[in-house]
Amino acid sequence: MENQYWRSLEEREHFGDGGGEFQESPLRQIEPDQSRRGFLKAAGFAFAGGSLIGCSRAPAEKAMPYLSQPEGLVAGRAQYYASTCAGCSAGCGLLVKVHDGRPIKLEGNPEQAIGRGATCAVGQASILGLYDSLRLRQPLAEGKPTSWTEVDAAIRSHLKRDTAVRYLSGTITSPAKQAAIDRFLTQFHNAQHVMYDALSASAILDAHQQTHDARVLPHYRFDRADVIVSFDADFLGTWISPVEFAHDYTSRRLPPDRSWHAQFEARMSLTGTKADRRMKIAPGEIQERLLRLLRQVESANAGGDEVAERLLRSRSRSLVLCGANDVDAQVIVNQVNHLLGNYGNTLDIERPSRQRRGNDRELAKLLNEIKAGHVGALFMDGVNPMAELPEPPELGRVGLVVSLAGSLDETAERAHYVCPDHHYLESWSDAEPIAGLISLTQPAIRPLGQTRAIIESLSIWSGQPERAYDLLRQKYASNWERSVQAGIVQVEVGQAGPPAKWRDGQPKPPTPPSDSSGHTLVLYPGVAMLDGRHAYNPWLHELPDPITKITWDNCASLSPATAASFGLTDGDVVRIESMELPVVVQPGQHDSVIAVALGYGRKASERFANIGPHWIDRGPTVNAKGHVGENAARFLSLDGGVLRYERAGVHIAKTRRHIELAATQTHHTMEGRAIVQEVALKELGKPPETADVSEELWPPDHPTTGHRWAMAIDLNACTGCSACVLACQVENNTPVVGRDEVRRRREMHWIRIDRYYSGTPDDVEVAHQPMMCQQCEHAPCETVCPTLATVHSDEGLNQQIYNRCVGTRYCANNCPYKTRRFNWFNYPREDRLANLVLNPDVTVRTRGVMEKCTFCVQRIQEAKINSKHNGAPIQDGDTRTACQQCCPASAIVFGDLNDSKSRIARLAKDGRQYRVLEELNVGPSVHYLKIVRQEDQRNG
Amino acid sequence: MNRRVLIGIFDSEDAILQATDSARRRGWKIVDVFAPYAVHRLDKAMGLKRSRLPWVCFALGLFGASFKVWFEYWTTASDWPINVGGKPWNSLPAFVPITFEVMVLCAGISTVLAFFGMSRLWPGRRAALLDPRVTNDRFALVLEEDNAAFDVAEVERFLMEHRAVRVEEREQEGTA
Amino acid sequence: MAEVCSPLRLPLIAGHKKPGTVTEDVCRPMLRPPSTLWWAGFTLAFSLLLLGVAAISYQIATGVGTWGLNTSVGWAFDITNFVFWVGIGHAGTLISAILFLFRQKWRTSVNRSAEAMTLFAVMCAGIFPVIHTGRPWLAYWLFPYPNTRGPLWINFRSPLAWDCFAISTYFLISATFWYVGLIPDLATIRDRLVEQSSAVSPGGLKARPAALGLRQRLFSIFSLGWNGSYRVWQHYEVLYLLLAGLATPLVVSVHTIVSWDFATAVIPGWHATIFPPYFVAGAIFSGIAMVLTLMIVARKAMNLEDYITLRHVDVMCKLLLLTSSIVALAYGTEFFTAFYSGNPYETFVFKNRALGPFAWAYWTMVSCNVLVPQFLWFRSVRRRLGIVFVLTLFVNVGMWFERFVIIVTSLHRDFLPSSWAMYRPTIVEVSTLLGSFGLFFTCFLIFCRVLPVIAMGEVKAVLHHGNGNGGPA
């Protein structure tokens, strides 16, 4: 595929002025000298446009045939365009897979340093936002559709030089956009740009203001850290830049240079599940613990404390982090890191991260201004304060409220004007996640509606209209083509801000928890929902939480002891002040803590009222309020200049109600079966004792002479982040079934991540195990299928022939891994726009047939066709499965066992290699690599 | 050609048995015996040969079985071999159950058809009854007056001795 | 032979019947209008049937998802009902074929209705493999037939394919066997109807089909012109013997194959070599129970007390007791092998059966199939029809649960604990089960009305049996 996405892109005509061109016939675009962009505009319009409400033309007659084939484009063959993910502010590089003008899949861009070719689940799912049928398609004035000219006129008429203009946005990583905002605000005497993050890291920046005179967020370098001590920072799950961190972290999890990771945390986080030493700690105790650590480090005397010892032993190669949004704690963290000499090594503030730039203090100030009615005009971009903040701003007191949101969220519906932004796959932009690391965003499809890039809106409102494309073209004029192709811009290092100096400051004494009675409510971002910006996304709602395995809900998770003390079990509904939530019992959580995920109970989730198959006994997906889950944001507090995610002294009350949670896994231990296998660090390298596999009943008369496809999954690397689950869903057109069907254990994901607890209730160990069809050599499913609907290929694949399947389900019953999925119904696919995301290379299955992981056979075929095309044999790595491609931990390796030089062939002989249920002699083709545990871990 | 038959109607199993038996011994030609149920040892009394149905059953059973074995081998191992669960192309043991079933089916159905053919039974065939009660509780012995030596009076007496309830003489076309 | 009389010498048929009276007694219920009791039963059965039809139509229209199945438990009610009904069927073949080979003369009074039961049961059974598929309209793909997909046949290695052949063979052979047995009786009734309609003079001969009503015409068509000629009777006897000889291994093979559906799978709790004998015994156990249930009602309703005597009940009770003990032995053996194998998965499955979430089903099964039949050790119990009737009902329930336990408890917790799940039936499934009972009883009630429930031809042959009045014993 390389040779495809390095194709030169000739950028000629302009882009983005939606309205005008929308009415034109796209065929006008297709001229002999037509560029890919033009083709994309045409095809994009033709395929997508037809399904838009308000578009009177039928798409088919506009679409085909090409008058002249755009150069280098073969219909039905995917092309890849480099871009940047905007699913969150981390800014991972992307290669957008475009099929006949439709973006259908996002792959990581290996050239870009943040994602390094990987993406997270949210990134994978964000493509569905492009085809969101409830996205705004034109500007709104007072809630009514209108034209851009009118909106622009109205807004400009409101704006006088002395209006108090406030621009409220989330973190802006795009320099171009930042410039546009600044330029826009300079028109006014009293204007201010306020940034805040719903998942705030403000305290870290404030702390560095105190300790380094620079309000920066360090760039954490887990790949350089021998010892990692994290206080409540879920850096593998949701914290700041999880994909980058997960990649760096897992690159150091094997000997010889295996890092040591201690996690102090209140709830069970993904990061906690991977820690060598995990200690439960109440949020209120973090500061004390940090202070103790600080003293130990200052006195260079660990006092027998393992964590301190290890830190002291690896000065300048260690990393101490804290996830709490608490300036005092962060100051202590900075001091510890300073004393250990980590700055400049594992923490980079020369070229700091720009992935979190929010300032909660300014947010608080702005809210007061709004309350006081001092704000004349409020522009809101990429934020949803009505749903994200503890108390919603009183927008009624603002003269002009303009929302730039792409869809009508809680805030946009209260705005005077809504000026919808493009989806990021439709727009030109750039991003600078790390100072000096610039990543470009290019459109992969013509805008589906009459939306307008914010940069352009701002330029129009500042009086000098400019196109985003032109802005970027000028900004990165040098080496433009290369930059657009690669998706990244090389900039000289000097560009970063002045080097920050260390300034001493004494830490304040720890503040004891305000109210010791009751429990502490901890609000955290779920791996799928984050701050709720993707609440419209059914894929993310149906993605099981990596820890609880619960879908379509946020729950109040309690420690087993606490739950027992209240006599609560999974699904019992409790009242936390005004909020009612089902309980989930979470081993490894601190007894004083109630943890609730943010981002639920959003207006965007109202659309799921009708999701899933319709039949007499179906249950609802949304709750009584018509939402999925409850919005817990009102329990945040904005005091002391930071958003606080803990609230002490919360009381919970039992209710009589009980609901059955939609969990994809309900049994959590391995029953002492060797399913996930571990090896102690000191055992590692010793030859493994060979498992005694019984004699074969049949002579092996099915040699695989050509390819022999197989997979290896490194359980030591896997963080359970679930990106693979979503990648697979997008790649293979897996349907969404809705809450009730999941509750009935009928989720359709082809790959699932089994999560097992072991150890003691106090010291829980967690293992993640991706589980998909094991493509057995002696597949039990094949023998029992009466119609030959599942048979074996001569390349070792267990094939499922959909159109021959009558659906006896015998194969699924006889599958020891239970990885086969049955189409119990015809799952509704009424949303024609959303259907545009379907992968044309994969059949959409109908009711009554069995389906399962195919090892992405369509990709294997593509690779084979390519190799036939250019006469070269398939190289190792030419064909990569969707789950492998997106894995931030590179835990999945796929390849040809018969190719002795391939990675898979090597890993199949690795000392850590084993196969699940090998004793059944079904000969699975998926090899697992054992988890490496610290030998002394149990008695830790 | 028409022929004259002498019919003795009996109402007990024992009577018909003995009558038939001694009639045969006396060398009279027994056309047929009619009974409402299968009377034990009556075949010996009439001196009938053993039925050849078992051969039909055996032959067609054998045919069914061997055909099925060949068919399964041909479809699975020869015509279009498909790798199913790594089992050998020719998984003979797995073919046994169906082979057996087909054998039974073939043997059973064909024997029944053969029986219908042999005994000339078919739907809607009009039943030639000697006595309406012969399918209920009466037995009938039919003797043919084949030669002059056949003395009707004597035979009648003989039948009455053997507790016949009624004796009658009848014209019959063809054979009963 | 007065005071010293072995059980074999006890009269099979009470009340010193003559062949004529047999015809009388058997035809009487057919010729008089149905009783209110019959109408009541029929109404109930037929409405159940309609319920089932509704449920199945809805399920076929909407999807198998309308059943409570899930990814882990892919079979439950569907295959449970299938195995249950096939099992019921087996008693018929046992009584008509196996006991015939063993020269058990007492079978003659019950074999006709037992065979009918077999047919109807197999019909019920046959429904489920079809409707349990995701795409029932393609269920015919389970059979090998020359097709347009190139030389694409079926997978003869799949026990499900074996099933298709076994069940259809079983149905065809049973049907043939049953019909062959009917022919002489059809003739008897035909001629009796003639006698009634046109009071024929003792001399008058040929039946005149033209003059006959529909019923008579049907009988004369299907009796194939049977006229009681002994030359035919002779072939007939041989044929009957041959069919019995074929049906006997067939009935064993059918439930053996059904058991292989499970035994050849890898799932712990299914993967057991003990299954074939265990299933066959279980099948006969449940079958006999169902025969008794029906017979006890039928003999009352159609006053056939003289034909289906206490002795018949007694003998079948003993069969129940025997098969029950075999089944009990199987239950025990399963646990032993599980424990002795040392296979953790196997061991767990059986622990889970007895103590897991479906323990209630398991213990229902054990008490109905093992404990309850123990009462039959007592002669006094065997002779109290009321009690026997209730006991057989228990056995029917117990045997249904046996299949449920085997299928569901093995599937819902197999190898990987991550995929352990529970199973809860939906209203649609329950209605389908009731519907199958509806079909069964509807057919059986109609059978009681239009056909002789007792094989007259055979009963007449054994009238003298044990009556000691010179008859061949």
Side-chain angles (χ1 to χ4, degrees), chain A residues 465-484:
Chain A
E466 258 186 306
R467 291 207 168 78
Y469 170 69
D470 301 336
L471 281 169
L472 293 168
R473 193 82 164 79
Q474 291 149 16
K475 198 167 191 309
Y476 306 108
S478 63
N479 200 353
W480 167 252
E481 295 231 333
R482 176 79 175 75
S483 308
V484 177

Side-chain angles (χ1 to χ4, degrees), chain A residues 418-486:
Chain A
V418 186
C419 306
D421 186 12
H422 292 323
H423 186 270
Y424 72 91
L425 291 171
E426 299 168 324
S427 42
W428 279 107
S429 182
D430 59 352
E432 190 177 10
I434 306 295
L437 185 151
I438 293 177
S439 174
L440 287 181
T441 303
Q442 66 171 316
I445 187 174
R446 184 173 188 254
L448 301 181
Q450 306 178 38
T451 53
R452 189 170 69 187
I454 289 178
I455 300 185
E456 289 164 5
S457 301
L458 290 171
S459 67
I460 287 166
W461 299 333
S462 353
Q464 57 257 59
E466 258 186 306
R467 291 207 168 78
Y469 170 69
D470 301 336
L471 281 169
L472 293 168
R473 193 82 164 79
Q474 291 149 16
K475 198 167 191 309
Y476 306 108
S478 63
N479 200 353
W480 167 252
E481 295 231 333
R482 176 79 175 75
S483 308
V484 177
Q485 291 157 22

Side-chain angles (χ1 to χ4, degrees), chain B residues 133-145:
Chain B
R133 288 175 69 182
V134 83
T135 55
N136 177 357
D137 57 355
R138 284 280 189 270
F139 306 82
L141 171 61
V142 185
L143 300 171
E144 182 176 349
E145 306 177 5

Side-chain angles (χ1 to χ4, degrees), chain B residues 144-158:
Chain B
E144 182 176 349
E145 306 177 5
D146 46 0
N147 50 23
F150 189 92
D151 172 356
V152 177
E154 180 201 351
V155 179
E156 270 194 48
R157 204 174 320 108
F158 160 85

Side-chain angles (χ1 to χ4, degrees), chain A residues 614-617 660 664-671 673-675 741 743-747 752 754-756 769 771 780 782-788 802-810 812-826 846-849 916-917 919-920 922, chain C residues 58-75 78 132-139 141-142 145 147 149 152-161 260-262 264-267 270 344-345 348-349 411 413-422 424 426-428:
Chain A
H614 296 200
W615 62 291
I616 45 172
D617 198 19
E660 198 181 340
T664 60
Q665 181 178 348
T666 49
H667 194 87
H668 306 305
T669 71
M670 266 180 287
E671 295 291 319
R673 304 174 180 185
I675 295 165
E741 286 294 294
R743 190 172 57 80
R744 297 174 187 268
R745 305 297 298 272
R746 297 173 181 173
E747 69 277 4
R752 62 174 199 260
D754 294 343
R755 186 265 302 114
Y756 296 107
Q769 183 175 49
M771 180 57 65
E782 293 171 8
T783 321
V784 296
C785 174
T787 57
L788 288 170
Y802 302 128
N803 54 3
R804 178 63 174 170
C805 177
V806 298
T808 66
R809 299 185 299 289
Y810 199 172
N813 288 341
N814 205 25
C815 172
Y817 307 91
K818 290 286 173 281
T819 52
R820 292 178 150 257
R821 296 289 179 263
F822 186 65
N823 287 269
W824 301 97
F825 298 94
N826 264 330
T846 56
R847 162 198 154 188
V849 305
V916 177
L917 300 178
E919 63 272 29
L920 295 179
V922 292
Chain C
Y58 178 71
Q59 177 245 323
I60 290 181
T62 317
V64 189
T66 54
W67 293 350
L69 306 170
N70 57 46
T71 306
S72 306
V73 185
W75 287 346
D78 43 10
H132 99 288
T133 60
R135 306 197 286 176
W137 52 93
L138 297 180
W141 284 0
L142 295 176
Y145 62 95
N147 54 59
R149 304 174 192 82
L152 176 57
W153 302 96
I154 64 166
N155 177 12
F156 291 109
R157 301 179 183 88
S158 164
L160 217 49
W260 280 337
D261 280 347
F262 309 105
T264 62
V266 299
I267 300 302
W270 283 11
Y345 310 113
F348 175 84
V349 164
L411 283 176
R413 290 185 171 180
D414 66 344
F415 292 98
L416 301 187
S418 62
S419 52
W420 288 4
M422 281 302 290
R424 215 181 290 104
T426 65
I427 177 92
V428 183

